[in-house]
Structures are given as structure tokens and as C-alpha cells.
């Protein structure tokens, strides 16, 4: 489940690690939104990955499709919607999300923007187990980075991408194997 530059980066990182990607779901771009970020659909075409654009993973036909794939793990990279328990339960070993802050701080949408608005000097990414509540599951891994006093949102976002690659390199295989660490969010 991928969207945005984080989705493109996440898919490339999984591919480099040799993790099989059986299906990718991505959102259709909103024609009324300024799309300044990478296309997951185009990344899938480039990598030869099967992609569904705009499909609802909670629809009965999609749940059945995902079930037939029998995924060892599910990864969410800037997917815009909460995945319901009916989808999360299909992952044999784990369902994780890559979030653009050091959880538990800045849960929810636009974490980079909120960190900048609050004058944070440290940001980061968190890979965490998905649960019913947004960004509330146990932490698998985190990678901090410095937010400079003159950093613009695009500067911080570039740091999110680099930190996300590091976290996935360290922890994605453990997720697929079912032995990813779990640290409770405090």
C-alpha cells in the first residue's frame, strides 16, 4: 500500500532487499491537487510490479484477492487511508507502516509540516506495526535526523526518504520473517 515519494522509495528498498512484492495498491492522483511527488504507478511499471490504482482494499473482491496472495507481510508507505483489521489480518507475519516522525510524536497526516510548524530540531521516521488506531502500534525501528533552522519542507522530506531507506534496510526482512521487534509506544 504505497503513495507519494515514500511509496516509491519503499518499493525500491524492498526490491533491493530481495523481498517479493506480489501486489501494490496505490491511490489515483487527485486532479485538483498539486502533484509534486513521485508516482507509485510509474515506479511499479519501471520495476515490473503488479499495481492496482484506486482499488479499495476493503472491498470483498479485493479482500479475496489479497487473501489468495497469502501475504507474509503488508507494508504501508504513505497510504492515505487507515487499513482496517480485515486487511491487516491477512498478513501472516506482520503489517507495518512507515511514518514520517519519531512516534509517538506527530501521529496522523502531514507529520513533516507539523514538526516544522512546532519548531522541532529533530525529526525522523518510524516503522511500526499497524493497529486499528492511526500510528499507534508497537515500534519496530526508528531513525532520527536533524532539522536545520533553515530547512524547508522539501529539505526535511528528503531526510525522511533517506531515513526511511535506512530503517527498511535494517528491519524489512525481519518483518517478512516474523521476528521484527516490538517496542510499545510510550
Amino acid at each position: 500500500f504505497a503513495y507519494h515519494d515514500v511509496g516509491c522509495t519503499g518499493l525500491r528498498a524492498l526490491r533491493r532487499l530481495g523481498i517479493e512484492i506480489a501486489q501494490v495498491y496505490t491511490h489515483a492522483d487527485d486532479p485538483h491537487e498539486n502533484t509534486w511527488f513521485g508516482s507509485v504507478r510509474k515506479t511499479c511499471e519501471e520495476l515490473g510490479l503488479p499495481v492496482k490504482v484506486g482499488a479499495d482494499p476493503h472491498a470483498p473482491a479485493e479482500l479475496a484477492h489479497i487473501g489468495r496472495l497469502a501475504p507474509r507481510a503488508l507494508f504501508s508507505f504513505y497510504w492515505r487511508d487507515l487499513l482496517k483489521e480485515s486487511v491487516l489480518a491477512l498478513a501472516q507475519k506482520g503489517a507495518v507502516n512507515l511514518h514520517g516522525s519519531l512516534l509517538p510524536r506527530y501521529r496522523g497526516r502531514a507529520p513533516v509540516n507539523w514538526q516544522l510548524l512546532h519548531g522541532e530540531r529533530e525529526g525522523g521516521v518510524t516503522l511500526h506495526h499497524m493497529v486499528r488506531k492511526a500510528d499507534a502500534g508497537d515500534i519496530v525501528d526508528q531513525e532520527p535526523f536533524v532539522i536545520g533552522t533553515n530547512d524547508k519542507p522539501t529539505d526535511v522530506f528528503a531526510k525522511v526518504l533517506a531515513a526511511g531507506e535506512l530503517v527498511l534496510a535494517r528491519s524489512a526482512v525481519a518483518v517478512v520473517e516474523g521476528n521484527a521487534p516490538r517496542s510499545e509506544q510510550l
Side-chain angles (χ1 to χ4, degrees):
F1 299 92
Y3 193 61
H4 212 284
D5 287 330
V6 173
C8 300
T9 297
L11 291 171
R12 286 189 176 100
L14 295 181
R15 176 54 72 86
R16 276 193 303 277
L17 292 166
I19 294 173
E20 180 185 354
I21 302 169
Q23 182 69 63
V24 177
Y25 285 83
T26 192
H27 300 288
D29 291 329
D30 183 340
H32 304 292
E33 184 176 345
N34 179 11
T35 306
W36 54 270
F37 43 83
S39 167
V40 167
R41 180 188 53 77
K42 289 180 183 173
T43 299
C44 287
E45 290 171 1
E46 176 187 312
L47 297 175
L49 299 173
V51 62
K52 291 190 176 201
V53 179
D56 177 2
H58 303 108
E62 293 305 323
L63 281 171
H65 173 69
I66 297 167
R68 283 189 299 276
L69 294 172
R72 292 179 57 85
L74 298 175
F75 288 86
S76 173
F77 303 131
Y78 269 48
W79 182 253
R80 288 185 160 186
D81 303 314
L82 285 178
L83 293 170
K84 296 178 183 175
E85 289 176 331
S86 58
V87 173
L88 301 179
L90 296 172
Q92 298 170 25
K93 300 295 183 179
V96 296
N97 177 54
L98 189 65
H99 184 75
S101 76
L102 294 173
L103 291 174
R105 297 191 54 129
Y106 303 106
R107 287 183 175 133
R109 291 187 187 248
V112 167
N113 298 4
W114 288 113
Q115 290 169 85
L116 287 168
L117 285 170
H118 286 105
E120 298 290 346
R121 292 293 150 240
E122 181 180 61
V125 299
T126 302
L127 185 66
H128 67 91
H129 293 274
M130 287 188 279
V131 295
R132 185 177 351 158
K133 186 177 175 186
D135 304 322
D138 291 345
I139 293 171
V140 173
D141 196 354
Q142 294 182 306
E143 180 67 29
F145 55 76
V146 173
I147 299 175
T149 55
N150 295 318
D151 278 355
K152 299 182 219 61
T154 52
D155 300 323
V156 177
F157 206 81
K159 294 176 183 183
V160 165
L161 296 175
E165 284 188 83
L166 289 172
V167 164
L168 291 171
R170 286 194 304 252
S171 299
V173 170
V175 170
V176 173
E177 292 176 350
N179 57 15
R182 298 182 85 103
S183 299
E184 185 179 348
Q185 290 191 43
L186 303 175

